[in-house]
Amino acid sequence: MSAGKDHAALAQVFNNDENRVDWHDETLWFVRAKRDRASHGIPDWELLRETASQIKHNVLSNMHNYLVQFEENALTNGIKIHWAADAAEHNAIVLSILKEKGIDRMVKSKSMLTEECHLNDFLQDNGVEVIDSDLGERIVQLAKEPPSHIVLPCIHKKKEEIGDIFHEHLGTAAGESDPQILTETARQHLREIFITRRAALTGVNFAIAETGEFVVCTNEGNADMGAHLADVHIASMGFEKLIPQRKHLSVFLRLLTRSATGQPITTYSSHFKKPRPGQQMHIIIVDNGRSIQLGREDFRNSLKCIRCGACMNTCPVYRRSGGHSYHTAVAGPIGSILAPNLDMEKYADLPFASTLCGSCSNVCPVKIDIHDQLYKWRQVIVKNGYSTKTKTAMMKGMTLALSSPAIFNLSGKAGRLALRYIPFAVNNGLNPWFKQRDMPTPPEDSFTDWYKKNRKGEKP
């Protein structure tokens, strides 16, 4: 958590810039609308979602067999397999591979797992330079910020701000904000990186148990440039990336990018099966709390996630609070059900950063019950004593009021009187709802009183 701040406090920082909030909200909703148009163009969209969900369900139920099968086939293909129990072990394995080859500079394409493991900071602390080659990732890396979105890492940045960053670090003209010029500058800058780096790290979108190969999906081709030019290719994957057979890949590729950006398919869907002659290829299979999540019956379906970001694009809370307010590698609704598994106390605030409207579950391409899991995580967090004292006290007060008709009616009358005669008791800075909203005009009567007057003889 950033300097001890929770989601509400960090969201307030984001909301201090109202113009930024507005275009952040509008831009993400534009992407959500593109997703809708793309999905409506496929008659069997819901069948695809259900099929993908069932394939992932099969994987989660037979994870032990598929992991062994994938390892055997990958080893046969000439790939070196490593197993990491947690983030520290993953980072240590990456460093050991680089040290063995005497490498102190590496290029890296997008990998949310390495963000989860804080790999960049670890390697830099150990004398290894890491350059992110995804354009959005490179922008936030130069700005010394984490990504705010798993697909659109710098969605929170305006082009003028990106221009200032490039002026400072890449030498563009002061005030230059033309996207084409900025993109060409980044292209020239990264070209030298690709040519000179002997090691490249990529993420893994899908790992195929049947063949031992893995697939990396990008729009920029940066993963391919890094991996094909490097002497050492390291691929980091959470074990949930497995799918049983190559034929299943078509289901997920049709869903992934339509859900993420509204495209029919990613520009590059690259298959890596074996190292080229003279190259080393390593796959690091990471647990880092996934086994625990797999054992939680109410939450195991969160491991179906294919990291499309659709739940973020549709979430009214994420769109208006920004990704950094979630203070974890994966933000938004999906991050709010993954993060508490890693550290329930540290991320206890995130499941409450939701309206429980269900839009996230409606757009999820693998049909994860995200809003249900958010609600269940709230229960788990409260039962384990990790909710704030204020929230706990309020919940106890609500329990008392809602369990007693007399107290409930008395509380309603008191609230209406306060709003009518001493509104400042409610409309003040101590009331979080009042910060962004006008409090309603109090009704003359309660619903119960209205019902008694208008429905005589009927029980309310």
Side-chain angles (χ1 to χ4, degrees), residues 9-301:
L10 293 168
Q12 182 60 51
V13 174
F14 186 74
N15 273 266
N16 287 336
D17 187 342
E18 189 172 340
N19 288 334
R20 187 186 303 273
V21 174
D22 288 344
W23 64 253
H24 187 267
D25 178 22
E26 292 166 3
T27 301
L28 288 169
W29 187 254
F30 170 76
V31 179
R32 158 67 204 268
K34 285 179 64 183
R35 173 262 175 206
D36 290 348
R37 289 192 294 272
S39 62
H40 293 162
I42 298 181
D44 57 350
W45 179 256
E46 289 304 317
L47 177 60
L48 280 172
R49 292 181 69 213
E50 181 62 26
T51 303
S53 182
Q54 290 300 325
I55 292 171
K56 282 289 189 177
H57 183 75
N58 173 268
V59 171
L60 297 180
S61 300
N62 298 279
M63 184 64 72
H64 51 299
N65 294 328
Y66 288 127
L67 282 171
V68 171
Q69 183 185 12
F70 177 76
E71 180 187 36
E72 289 176 350
N73 289 324
L75 289 171
T76 300
N77 295 337
I79 302 174
K80 297 186 178 183
I81 300 293
H82 309 264
W83 299 87
D86 53 28
E89 189 171 3
H90 166 269
N91 294 347
I93 291 169
V94 174
L95 182 61
S96 68
I97 294 170
L98 297 176
K99 280 188 172 181
E100 182 184 336
K101 290 292 185 178
I103 296 172
D104 61 4
R105 298 191 301 172
M106 183 179 76
V107 64
K108 180 170 74 71
S109 65
K110 187 182 293 180
S111 165
M112 294 314 299
L113 176 61
T114 60
E115 294 291 336
E116 176 186 320
C117 296
H118 304 290
L119 176 66
N120 284 17
D121 293 339
F122 172 83
L123 290 179
Q124 287 163 7
D125 290 344
N126 284 274
V128 178
E129 179 197 59
V130 182
I131 300 295
D132 284 308
S133 61
D134 175 270
L135 178 56
E137 296 260 345
R138 185 60 178 143
I139 291 168
V140 294
Q141 184 182 36
L142 290 173
K144 294 181 171 56
E145 295 177 0
S148 67
H149 190 290
I150 59 178
V151 176
L152 312 166
C154 65
I155 188 65
H156 61 289
K157 291 287 188 189
K158 300 177 181 179
K159 62 181 181 180
E160 291 80 12
E161 294 171 320
I162 296 170
D164 291 341
I165 293 169
F166 277 28
H167 172 65
E168 178 182 354
H169 296 280
L170 304 182
T172 56
E176 180 60 70
S177 61
D178 185 306
Q180 187 170 347
I181 293 175
L182 297 178
T183 302
E184 181 60 28
T185 300
R187 183 181 289 116
Q188 297 299 328
H189 159 65
L190 289 170
R191 188 164 294 165
E192 184 272 335
I193 302 295
F194 289 130
I195 293 171
T196 57
R197 277 13 178 208
R198 294 169 51 210
L201 187 146
T202 69
V204 172
N205 288 95
F206 305 101
I208 304 171
E210 176 188 42
T211 62
E213 68 188 288
F214 60 94
V215 178
V216 181
C217 302
T218 69
N219 276 329
E220 300 171 23
N222 55 304
D224 301 77
M225 288 286 287
H228 292 319
L229 293 172
D231 298 329
V232 179
H233 178 187
I234 304 169
S236 296
M237 59 171 276
F239 66 59
E240 78 281 7
K241 297 295 184 178
L242 283 171
I243 59 174
Q245 297 175 290
R246 182 185 281 172
K247 69 180 182 181
H248 297 139
L249 187 63
S250 61
V251 174
F252 292 96
L253 291 181
R254 294 183 75 191
L255 287 165
L256 175 61
T257 319
R258 285 181 171 89
S259 297
T261 60
Q263 297 170 247
I265 196 169
T266 47
T267 308
Y268 301 91
S269 298
S270 305
H271 296 240
F272 296 93
K273 188 173 182 180
K274 60 182 180 180
R276 69 174 187 274
Q279 184 190 45
Q280 279 190 9
M281 187 175 287
H282 301 260
I283 298 177
I284 308 174
I285 303 174
V286 183
D287 187 323
N288 201 37
R290 287 160 174 78
S291 292
I292 297 174
Q293 192 82 325
L294 186 62
R296 298 182 191 267
E297 186 175 354
D298 286 338
F299 306 113
R300 69 196 303 267
N301 280 345

